[in-house]
């Protein structure tokens, strides 16, 4: 196949890795957001919130495994450079995810008076995993360098990602719940949305100032005129989302899923902006995806494996979301 050149294969794997990261950010993002904002003063609300993510949360993490696996096999040099700079936050991310998994199971098996402690563990694991992801993103944007400025920016990025996950998590709860919990989710989504908007605006202003290549991408005509549609769409979704949240809830639960879809568009816009900012670099300002790619022969073998596996992951994800559509039921353990 003549089109399976080394450059085309590298670009295809970069696209697959990016797609996996985007799907992970959206899908695991909302269930991390539910964990972050778990209402600790109301046990029945906590049960319903956890029931809303119960059928999905562990499967959502498949996309993180997929992304890291693709990075390892398709771009081993980049994988080495990125993980070398991020061992500590990556370890904290894994600890957070482990805490979530343990707490999710143990809260169903302990005595009722111990359940609240495991809910706090679930919440803490969600916060740790989310902040670690944001910190890693900030370090990546700062060129994988550790100095005072980059660490401050990475911590700020961690807070921004935490707010973004809280926003999409509560947008998910608006669609999956009703009554007082839904109203609570609407209120929390508003506050998280305001914080997320401020964070994205700040990062959008800082990123071009610390990366010359990023500044060039967003200021050089004529492509800059087309790229400007991304932040305009993103900020437009924030404005529309705030107006929608002010009107919810509506009779017959109309529009309950609209905040989630608007949040999804915001995530896609942010991810597209980051991808355009750093392309073709996979290690910022040091290594392009074409330089980091494995040999053509290796990529060809992996390509057919990925093409075979990916439809199955997409299919079972679609089946799970279809099977458990609708409002979350009362939490039951069998």
């Amino acid at each position: 196949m003549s089109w399976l050149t080394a450059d085309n294969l590298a670009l295809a794997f970069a696209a697959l890795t990016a797609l996996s990261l985007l799907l992970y950010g959206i899908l695991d993002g909302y269930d991390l957001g539910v964990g972050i904002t778990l209402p600790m003063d109301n046990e029945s609300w906590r049960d319903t919130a956890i029931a809303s993510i119960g059928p999905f949360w562990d499967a959502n993490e498949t996309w993180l495994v997929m992304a890291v696996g693709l990075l390892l096999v398709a771009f081993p040099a980049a994988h080495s450079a990125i993980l070398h700079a991020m061992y500590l936050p990556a370890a904290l991310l894994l600890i957070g995810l482990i805490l979530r998994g343990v707490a999710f199971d143990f809260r169903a098996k302990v005595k009722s008076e111990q359940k609240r402690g495991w809910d706090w563990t679930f919440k803490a694991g969600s916060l740790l995993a989310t902040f670690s992801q944001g910190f890693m993103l900030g370090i990546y944007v700062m060129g994988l360098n550790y100095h005072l400025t980059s660490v401050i920016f990475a911590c700020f990025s961690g807070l921004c990602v935490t707010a973004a996950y809280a926003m999409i998590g509560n947008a998910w709860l608006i669609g999956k719940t009703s009554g007082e919990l839904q109203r609570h989710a609407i209120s929390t989504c508003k506050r998280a949305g305001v914080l997320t908007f401020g964070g994205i605006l700040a990062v959008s202003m800082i990123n071009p100032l610390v990366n010359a290549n990023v500044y060039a991408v967003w200021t050089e005509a004529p492509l800059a005129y087309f790229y400007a549609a991304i932040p305009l769409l993103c900020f437009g979704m924030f404005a529309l989302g705030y107006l929608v949240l002010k009107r919810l809830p509506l009779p017959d639960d109309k529009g309950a899923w609209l905040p989630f879809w608007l949040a999804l568009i915001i995530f896609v816009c942010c991810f597209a902006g980051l991808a355009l900012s750093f392309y073709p670099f996979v290690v910022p300002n040091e290594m392009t995806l074409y330089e980091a790619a494995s040999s053509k022969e290796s990529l060809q073998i992996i390509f057919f494996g990925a093409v075979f596996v990916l439809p199955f992951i997409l299919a079972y994800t679609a089946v799970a979301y279809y099977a458990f559509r609708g409002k979350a039921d009362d939490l039951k353990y069998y």
Side-chain angles (χ1 to χ4, degrees):
M1 298 183 181
S2 59
W3 58 274
L4 288 179
T5 63
D7 284 355
N8 285 345
L9 284 167
L11 189 59
F13 274 101
L16 285 173
T17 305
L19 176 63
S20 299
L21 286 172
L22 174 60
L23 289 173
Y24 173 76
I26 293 170
L27 298 180
D28 206 37
Y30 79 71
D31 69 58
L32 283 165
V34 170
I36 291 166
T37 58
L38 204 63
M40 298 307 299
D41 56 346
N42 191 311
E43 183 177 346
S44 65
W45 286 7
R46 296 199 302 275
D47 285 345
T48 304
I50 289 177
S52 76
I53 63 174
F56 315 110
W57 72 274
D58 51 349
N60 290 341
E61 294 174 2
T62 302
W63 295 105
L64 178 61
V65 177
M66 180 84 169
V68 175
L70 287 172
L71 184 65
L72 173 63
V73 298
F75 306 102
H79 180 274
S80 176
I82 293 171
L83 265 293
H84 178 76
M86 297 186 180
Y87 275 129
L88 180 57
L92 293 175
L93 166 61
L94 293 176
I95 291 171
L97 295 177
I98 291 169
L99 286 174
R100 277 167 50 86
V102 171
F104 191 90
D105 285 337
F106 275 46
R107 74 184 304 274
K109 298 177 173 65
V110 298
K111 297 177 181 179
S112 58
E113 60 268 19
Q114 297 175 323
K115 184 177 173 182
R116 181 179 171 85
W118 286 108
D119 286 344
W120 273 111
T121 303
F122 188 80
K123 189 181 185 80
S126 301
L127 280 166
L128 180 60
T130 300
F131 184 83
S132 298
Q133 289 179 29
F135 186 91
M136 293 166 73
L137 176 61
I139 290 295
Y140 182 86
V141 168
M142 297 298 286
L144 304 179
N145 296 313
Y146 281 87
H147 45 74
L148 181 60
T149 303
S150 66
V151 171
I152 292 173
F153 178 81
C155 290
F156 177 72
S157 176
L159 296 175
C160 292
V161 170
T162 301
Y165 281 1
M167 177 186 71
I168 198 170
N170 281 274
W172 170 264
L173 286 177
I174 293 169
K176 292 292 285 184
T177 63
S178 57
E180 290 302 314
L181 178 55
Q182 186 185 56
R183 292 184 178 88
H184 174 77
I186 291 169
S187 176
T188 305
C189 191
K190 282 182 189 176
R191 296 195 298 271
V194 171
L195 293 174
T196 304
F197 174 80
I200 292 174
L201 186 62
V203 171
S204 299
M205 296 172 63
I206 294 170
N207 195 8
L209 298 178
V210 298
N211 289 288
N213 289 335
V214 175
Y215 181 83
V217 166
W218 292 99
T219 57
E220 291 184 356
L223 291 179
Y225 299 124
F226 296 99
Y227 294 162
I230 296 173
L232 290 175
L233 176 61
C234 180
F235 295 140
M237 292 301 100
F238 272 110
L240 180 58
Y242 192 80
L243 293 175
V244 168
L245 289 170
K246 286 180 68 175
R247 297 190 61 187
L248 292 178
L250 295 173
D252 299 323
D253 212 37
K254 291 180 180 178
W257 279 106
L258 188 54
F260 182 80
W261 291 111
L262 294 175
L264 187 149
I265 294 171
I266 290 169
F267 271 56
V268 171
C269 288
C270 292
F271 194 86
L274 281 171
L276 288 173
S277 294
F278 290 100
Y279 178 81
F281 290 99
V282 64
V283 177
N285 303 321
E286 290 185 15
M287 189 185 303
T288 68
L289 62 94
Y290 306 106
E291 296 168 341
S294 298
S295 66
K296 177 183 175 182
E297 293 74 18
S298 297
L299 290 177
Q300 285 178 329
I301 296 171
I302 304 165
F303 177 77
F304 290 110
V307 168
F308 177 78
V309 170
L310 189 60
F312 286 98
I313 300 176
L314 290 170
Y316 81 64
T317 300
V319 169
Y321 277 89
Y322 179 79
F324 294 99
R325 65 193 183 279
K327 296 293 183 180
D329 297 325
D330 292 336
L331 188 63
K332 301 180 183 70
Y333 294 104
Y334 300 98

